Amino acid sequence: MLRDMRVSVLALLLLPLIAACSAPTLTPVRPASPPTQAVTPAVVSFDQVVGKVKPVAEATCRQSLPRGPCSFKVIIDTSATDKVNAFQTVDRQGRPLLVFTAGIVEAFNNQDEMAFVLGHEAAHHIEQHLAQIAQTAGAFTSIFETAAAASGITVEGQALAGELGELFGSRVYSKQFELEADALGTVIAKRAGFDPVRGAQFFGRLPDPGDQFLGTHPPNAERVAVVKSVAAQLQ
């Protein structure tokens, strides 16, 4: 009974963390992408942007990661027409994938927005954020499990603590990583011939996440400020 009470107390203490981490930040290894897609004006425009930004992103990647991999593959997920989202992941061979939903491609107002978001997602790979998230999540998993075991709670409680540690670790640096990707994404978009400040206006049409505890993204105003600051330095 005492051990069960300890598990309950641990769950209550970490309830805010559970709520904050209800959505995982790790992305799927194999995103859905049907073989055919509707060729809309937005898709044509996006393809043009990819042709200009992708070589710049790959050159930037090779400077930071001489051993790569730096051959980006850009995918439009046509199964997600109602979702406005983009993310970076890798395939089973470790090749970096930049995945855009059909919804976000249609939501862009101009090529500057396309270029900035494309540069942002490429920057996540260049900065090796997925690897850092996995490492931090693993470290916090071990810390939480060790602390739970030392308190004498049940094996089930230790497993719960480990899961919470993994979620905490996957979120703890999330905002920092987003700002780093905004900064490097600004550089990539600018080098490719686009206006990243104009591109960052895309944030203005997204819900502002605010400054939430363990939120995945920083406030939109903070992100725009980073873009403007970096762009000013590139003048």
Side-chain angles (χ1 to χ4, degrees):
M1 178 65 72
L2 179 57
R3 289 186 175 183
D4 291 339
M5 289 178 63
R6 287 173 177 171
V7 174
S8 299
V9 170
L10 176 64
L12 287 173
L13 289 175
L14 297 178
L15 186 58
L17 178 58
I18 297 173
C21 298
S22 58
T25 58
L26 298 181
T27 52
V29 174
R30 299 185 65 183
S33 184
T36 60
Q37 63 184 50
V39 181
T40 66
V43 169
V44 173
S45 185
F46 182 72
D47 285 343
Q48 294 172 349
V49 171
V50 171
K52 295 179 180 179
V53 174
K54 184 172 176 286
V56 175
E58 291 177 342
T60 304
C61 180
R62 286 190 290 270
Q63 292 176 349
S64 299
L65 305 174
R67 298 182 180 179
C70 291
S71 178
F72 290 104
K73 182 177 182 180
V74 182
I75 297 173
I76 297 179
D77 180 1
T78 58
S79 68
T81 58
D82 59 342
K83 295 181 180 180
V84 178
N85 191 26
F87 60 89
Q88 181 265 317
T89 185
V90 295
D91 63 16
R92 295 190 181 278
Q93 288 70 46
R95 181 181 182 181
L97 304 179
L98 309 181
V99 184
F100 289 72
T101 63
I104 196 173
V105 172
E106 297 296 330
F108 289 128
N109 276 350
N110 51 63
Q111 291 192 335
D112 292 312
E113 293 182 354
M114 294 176 177
F116 172 72
V117 177
L118 185 60
H120 170 94
E121 297 305 331
H124 275 308
H125 172 73
I126 297 170
E127 297 284 5
Q128 298 182 291
H129 287 157
L130 284 181
Q132 293 181 59
I133 288 173
Q135 182 179 15
T136 306
F140 274 94
T141 297
S142 178
I143 291 172
F144 276 52
E145 287 178 342
T146 301
S151 70
I153 67 174
T154 62
V155 174
E156 291 78 6
Q158 294 174 36
L160 172 61
E163 292 175 4
L164 292 172
E166 181 180 10
L167 288 170
F168 183 92
S170 69
R171 290 285 184 99
V172 67
Y173 296 122
S174 182
K175 294 179 184 179
Q176 174 185 326
F177 290 161
E178 291 301 321
L179 294 176
E180 289 177 358
D182 287 338
L184 184 54
T186 297
V187 175
I188 292 172
K190 184 71 174 180
R191 288 177 178 173
F194 295 93
D195 183 349
V197 175
R198 185 169 182 248
Q201 292 177 0
F202 184 66
F203 291 140
R205 301 198 305 281
L206 298 177
D208 194 335
D211 192 13
Q212 298 179 8
F213 174 65
L214 290 183
T216 58
H217 291 69
N220 291 340
E222 186 176 358
R223 302 184 69 179
V224 171
V226 167
V227 173
K228 289 182 177 180
S229 176
V230 174
Q233 297 174 35
L234 297 175
Q235 296 298 332

